[in-house]
Amino acid sequence: MDSTRQHSPTDDKNWERVLWRRLPYPDNYVPPRRFLESLRKNANFTPYTYSPMVVATTSVCQHIANIFTFLSVFIRLKERKSDPRYIIWISILLFVIGYASWEALFFFQGSPLRKDSRSRVMRSAILVFLALLALAPVLRTLTEATSSDSIWALSFSLFALHTLLADYTAPLPHDSHERLTSVLSMNAAISASVVLASRLDSDLSVFALILFALQVFALFPLLRRQLHYAPTAVRLGLTLLLSTTSVVLMSEHSHMVGWIVSLILIFINFVSPAVMVWAQREIRGEWDVAVPVVGGS
Amino acid sequence: MVCDFFHPNIGGVENHIYILSVNLLRRGHKVVAVTHSYPDSRVGIRWLAPGIKVYHVPLRVLVSNATLPNYLTFLPWLRDIVLRERITIIHGHASLSSFAQEAILHSHLFGSGFESMFGWWRRNGEQEESREIRTVFTDHSLFALDDATGILTNKLLAAALNNVDAVICVSHTARENTVLRAQIDPRTAYVIPSAVIAEQFKPPPKPLSTDTITIVVISRLAYRKGVDLLVASAPRICALFPQVQFLVGGSGPKLINLLQMREAHRLQDRITLLGAVDHHDVRNVLVQGHIYLNTSLTESFGIGLLEAACTGCFIVSTRVGGVPEVLPKDMIEFAMPNEDDVVRALRKAIAIVTAGKHDPYRAHERAKSMYTWEDVTKRTETVYADIVKKRPTDLWTRMHRTLRLGPFAGLIYFIILLVECLFFLFLEWVCPRDQIHYVEEDWTMESFKQV
């Protein structure tokens, strides 16, 4: 045992990183130069810079602006400031414009959609339209027994879930497989809108709101994801358009809410990337789980 | 020895604790194990040959044999056990074991330092010598520092190891990992590898013929064990070398991938899947192989490599974690964790084995001499001797160190510390010390031999 105490602690010439041989050092010897030699801080590190992050955050901003636009439409319908038929026509118009943009996008990307997909889309759109028309009376009485306060709370949490789980990544061209969380997020948004719609008075307004919700939460996010590949100006322009729409619509009801909405949007889009850029670090070493590379040459 | 993972559960950590306890017992120490109970009536005190007393504490198991971390419900049981058995060293194992972490946190309450501050229970006129409970923690695995589970569990570990006297890690890489995760002083961390009982892993009596080369894989079939690499490289090796057979033992979620690969390449007669292999059968599987393949993506020590080397196999392994430290270069061939390199390493290994350059009996002798349980036990005893000599930390120092953990965690653990002290005082009042049944006589090796 004395042979383990031969060397002075500062002399690590004979220290080796092996276990199969007894080294002439005590077990808790810390080699001054070689301890943590494999530690690499910030190795694979391309730090996030501010401007690309702001552009990337516009997706989140668009989502939130969408939610507020929807809420303002809901309030209008509830307070009977707008005619439900007007909303229905807007929804249909949005659908047509949206589908045309979808086709145009794919066309410009070089992989135009097939002819039968168009007929499929038209068929399912009409089916959904009719199904909603039939279901609207049922949905109106969905939450009769619940008080309004719980409805507001429920819809808030569902919209929060929708924002958190939404898929903000760019879609891969060959992989159109939806992630579970994005399906969940769409479900959360639709549930929130159904729950809110059940507070309305007439069947027609219920139908209008849910149709609008479908456009805004189910179909529009798909289009927005495809816009990831569009030039930055388009993305920024769209974000600006959506944000101003939501702020203007909300301000009609209450100025304070308009201010709050604009503050939220500015915070998310400009302040949080700054915080993120400030807080970056990375720490790696030998102990990390290796990433297997299969399917080589 | 305090750990959630102990017999009757089978595993690497469990084996390690048991064999270490047996060896410490042989050298004259008294060893008591504390673990959780098992639902079918395995509660209370059991004895394991050759004289280890096991306390099965009836606390509920949460998931994968670990109990729910509850800092206070374990305290009454621990207090009773520590006082009854007159324990002087608490040795916790495994970072995922909440029993071990809690035992280390509670250990300071039983010492004479705490008693001198609050102890009304000290019998009058009795001069107790300064008796403190020391703590040691052994960490068996590697954890990442940058994923979400890592960040949370590392903080828990840092809190538990804040006031520990010594930490034992099974490899140099594991020591660096633990030091970083738990933010402890590196000089309190000792590197003591695990060992293997060489008699249980003897090579086959006659050398295997090299007409067919058998590659053995025994592991849990999970992502962490690199099954994807195996699935990718096995067909290529089978195509390149018609004399190669694969023998795969173990099961797990990725068994499907192996079966699919076997179907797709029609290798049913080249790849044999054995399913789950019991621990006592492992040697029988290993002796059938010339080469042992380990494609783990992370490995702190790799006891499987050692067992295979002992049985005389030539090892091919991915160069991850603590694996490069385990065996000398002529007994093991390393590969980077990508498919091409695994194939390259296997080709080289097959060439070495076919040329007869690898002697299984010599490998067994070498592995036997490199890692012995006597050595591990002696080194552990050195750790115990070292820590007994150290000055204990008193309650104020402990409180300061706890507060230094961080703005939130420090405060939370400080509150836990206070509540724990109060709870302990309450327990002293409710279950006074003179009513505890102290254990007067212990098993020793002599009494065991007599029996």
Side-chain angles (χ1 to χ4, degrees):
Chain A
M1 292 300 109
D2 289 340
S3 63
T4 61
R5 305 277 191 273
Q6 268 175 9
H7 289 244
S8 71
T10 52
D11 160 30
D12 66 349
K13 283 201 308 286
N14 292 345
W15 188 82
E16 276 174 42
R17 206 188 182 86
V18 291
L19 295 170
W20 46 273
R21 199 161 59 195
R22 283 305 297 280
L23 302 165
Y25 294 96
D27 283 327
N28 62 339
Y29 175 66
V30 180
R33 279 164 304 172
R34 296 189 57 189
F35 190 62
L36 288 176
E37 62 185 349
S38 69
L39 177 65
R40 289 182 298 280
K41 283 197 185 175
N42 301 338
N44 302 335
F45 188 46
T46 44
Y48 293 122
T49 47
Y50 187 63
S51 314
M53 278 215 74
V54 171
V55 175
T57 325
T58 52
S59 323
V60 183
C61 212
Q62 287 168 6
H63 254 92
I64 299 187
N66 252 352
I67 295 179
F68 280 111
T69 315
F70 173 78
L71 281 178
S72 68
V73 168
F74 166 67
I75 297 178
R76 283 169 145 240
L77 276 176
K78 192 155 193 335
E79 296 177 5
R80 307 210 206 171
K81 281 200 206 142
S82 325
D83 194 353
R85 282 175 289 215
Y86 181 57
I87 306 285
I88 297 177
W89 279 115
I90 289 190
S91 309
I92 298 179
L93 196 65
L94 281 177
F95 175 70
V96 170
I97 295 178
Y99 191 67
S101 331
W102 176 267
E103 286 231 348
L105 258 181
F106 273 97
F107 182 72
F108 282 122
Q109 272 179 27
S111 52
L113 297 169
R114 301 195 313 268
K115 282 278 188 288
D116 54 348
S117 73
R118 200 178 292 166
S119 65
R120 247 188 317 142
V121 166
M122 287 302 150
R123 255 208 321 259
S124 42
I126 294 179
L127 264 173
V128 166
F129 190 90
L130 292 175
L132 260 184
L133 204 51
L135 276 177
V138 177
L139 287 174
R140 184 169 64 88
T141 58
L142 184 68
T143 56
E144 255 181 354
T146 322
S147 75
S148 288
D149 293 332
S150 12
I151 298 289
W152 310 144
L154 186 62
S155 65
F156 171 76
S157 25
L158 284 170
F159 276 129
L161 203 63
H162 162 71
T163 317
L164 279 172
L165 292 179
D167 194 359
Y168 297 110
T169 60
L172 296 166
H174 53 272
D175 177 24
S176 57
H177 171 60
E178 288 283 332
R179 294 208 296 210
L180 176 66
T181 47
S182 64
V183 171
L184 280 177
S185 103
M186 189 196 75
N187 274 330
I190 299 291
S191 314
S193 40
V194 163
V195 142
L196 281 179
S198 61
R199 289 283 108 187
L200 295 173
D201 297 336
S202 73
D203 294 341
L204 201 58
S205 39
V206 169
F207 173 66
L209 189 68
I210 299 190
L211 194 63
F212 185 69
L214 277 179
Q215 305 302 321
V216 163
F217 292 126
L219 299 177
F220 194 36
L222 296 176
L223 182 62
R224 275 188 284 129
R225 272 191 79 200
Q226 289 302 121
L227 280 176
H228 261 269
Y229 293 119
T232 319
V234 172
R235 287 173 72 178
L236 287 178
L238 182 64
T239 313
L240 208 55
L241 177 67
L242 286 175
S243 321
T244 40
T245 316
S246 64
V247 170
V248 161
L249 284 176
M250 287 307 269
S251 312
E252 281 179 4
H253 302 294
S254 142
H255 279 289
M256 169 126 106
V257 176
W259 278 114
I260 293 180
V261 171
S262 33
L263 264 176
I264 291 178
L265 291 173
I266 291 178
F267 179 80
I268 295 211
N269 217 354
F270 294 104
V271 175
S272 10
V275 173
M276 181 84 199
V277 166
W278 172 76
Q280 300 175 80
R281 279 189 307 162
E282 200 200 40
I283 189 163
R284 292 226 172 282
E286 276 294 313
W287 48 80
D288 280 319
V289 178
V291 178
V293 176
V294 294
S297 53
Chain B
M1 304 277 170
V2 184
C3 187
D4 278 271
F5 312 113
F6 196 61
H7 295 318
N9 199 33
I10 306 288
V13 176
E14 293 85 341
N15 265 343
H16 175 103
I17 302 175
Y18 176 66
I19 301 177
L20 183 63
S21 311
V22 167
N23 280 291
L24 283 170
L25 209 66
R26 282 209 190 115
R27 294 175 68 85
H29 302 281
K30 171 180 157 183
V31 180
V32 168
V34 178
T35 180
H36 63 81
S37 63
Y38 290 85
D40 44 342
S41 77
R42 204 178 183 99
V43 181
I45 303 175
R46 301 280 165 136
W47 287 90
L48 277 181
I52 304 172
K53 196 168 185 178
V54 184
Y55 281 87
H56 289 276
V57 174
L59 288 178
R60 184 150 292 234
V61 169
L62 188 63
V63 67
S64 71
N65 266 323
T67 49
L68 187 67
N70 40 25
Y71 287 93
L72 299 171
T73 55
F74 185 46
L75 182 56
W77 303 102
L78 186 71
R79 171 178 171 269
D80 205 46
I81 296 171
V82 166
L83 290 176
R84 289 184 72 198
E85 303 281 349
R86 285 181 261 261
I87 306 256
T88 48
I89 292 183
I90 292 183
H91 190 152
H93 291 261
S95 324
L96 293 175
S97 161
S98 40
F99 268 19
Q101 294 190 7
E102 290 164 33
I104 292 177
L105 279 174
H106 294 319
S107 59
H108 70 105
L109 296 165
F110 307 105
S112 45
F114 191 77
E115 264 184 40
S116 61
M117 288 179 72
F118 297 105
W120 67 76
W121 56 85
R122 195 193 292 209
R123 285 169 269 206
N124 287 329
E126 193 183 271
Q127 181 59 33
E128 295 222 2
E129 71 282 8
S130 169
R131 178 184 43 82
E132 285 286 332
I133 305 233
R134 311 297 176 153
T135 51
V136 183
F137 182 76
T138 299
D139 194 2
H140 294 260
S141 33
L142 293 176
F143 286 93
L145 283 129
D146 56 353
D147 58 357
T149 47
I151 295 176
L152 294 169
T153 50
N154 291 344
K155 201 61 174 179
L156 290 175
L157 188 70
L161 297 187
N162 205 7
N163 289 303
V164 77
D165 290 312
V167 177
I168 297 177
C169 302
V170 290
S171 68
H172 295 288
T173 309
R175 175 167 73 155
E176 293 178 355
N177 184 238
T178 307
V179 164
L180 273 181
R181 276 162 52 209
Q183 293 151 23
I184 53 176
D185 181 3
R187 284 163 306 181
T188 56
Y190 293 77
V191 177
I192 301 179
S194 198
V196 67
I197 300 185
E199 287 72 33
Q200 286 182 356
F201 291 95
K202 284 206 163 85
K206 283 199 326 270
L208 299 169
S209 89
T210 50
D211 295 335
T212 48
I213 306 278
T214 309
I215 301 182
V216 176
V217 179
I218 298 184
S219 79
R220 200 166 45 95
L221 300 175
Y223 172 74
R224 266 172 87 96
K225 299 291 179 182
V227 179
D228 296 315
L229 286 172
L230 177 64
V231 164
S233 49
R236 287 174 66 175
I237 291 289
C238 286
L240 286 168
F241 296 97
Q243 76 273 35
V244 159
Q245 295 272 345
F246 275 85
L247 193 60
V248 178
S251 80
K254 290 259 182 187
L255 182 62
I256 305 288
N257 301 50
L258 274 177
L259 287 169
Q260 280 177 344
M261 179 267 291
R262 201 170 69 155
E263 284 289 321
H265 295 267
R266 286 191 274 275
L267 293 167
Q268 282 88 343
D269 51 345
R270 306 281 299 274
I271 302 181
T272 317
L273 292 170
L274 293 170
V277 178
D278 280 340
H279 191 74
H280 52 86
D281 275 334
V282 168
R283 185 245 168 204
N284 296 334
V285 176
L286 286 173
V287 293
Q288 297 175 42
H290 299 83
I291 297 176
Y292 181 82
L293 176 65
N294 175 41
T295 47
S296 288
L297 303 177
T298 177
E299 191 82 67
S300 70
F301 179 70
I303 192 82
L305 302 177
L306 203 50
E307 293 172 351
C310 220
T311 328
C313 297
F314 187 79
I315 318 279
V316 173
S317 171
T318 40
R319 198 190 187 95
V320 288
V323 169
E325 309 167 20
V326 176
L327 290 169
K329 289 201 187 42
D330 50 349
M331 289 170 79
I332 183 169
E333 179 67 29
F334 291 114
M336 288 293 134
N338 64 58
E339 176 196 338
D340 294 329
D341 215 39
V342 170
V343 171
R344 176 206 60 84
L346 277 173
R347 289 177 84 144
K348 189 159 168 206
I350 293 172
I352 292 178
V353 171
T354 322
K357 289 200 204 128
H358 174 73
D359 180 5
Y361 302 102
R362 192 160 160 267
H364 172 78
E365 293 301 318
R366 289 178 75 187
K368 199 162 89 166
S369 63
M370 285 175 205
Y371 296 99
T372 58
W373 275 108
E374 284 80 44
D375 188 40
V376 169
T377 319
K378 276 204 209 120
R379 287 159 85 167
T380 313
E381 274 187 340
T382 317
V383 174
Y384 292 159
D386 279 348
I387 58 177
V388 166
K389 280 189 280 205
K390 283 186 354 186
R391 263 174 39 108
T393 52
D394 58 333
L395 191 58
W396 299 115
T397 325
R398 189 173 277 258
M399 283 184 181
H400 278 288
R401 293 181 71 169
T402 310
L403 278 174
R404 269 201 339 227
L405 272 177
F408 298 107
L411 197 58
I412 295 175
Y413 274 94
F414 182 70
I415 295 176
I416 293 179
L417 181 67
L418 288 178
V419 175
E420 164 199 74
C421 293
L422 289 172
F423 188 41
F424 185 76
L425 294 176
F426 173 73
L427 281 176
E428 286 289 344
W429 177 64
V430 164
C431 319
R433 290 206 181 190
D434 43 7
Q435 288 185 9
I436 298 179
H437 298 136
Y438 287 95
V439 171
E440 300 298 332
E441 260 188 39
D442 304 313
W443 274 107
T444 54
M445 284 306 288
E446 284 76 32
S447 30
F448 183 68
K449 283 182 193 146
Q450 277 174 10
V451 171

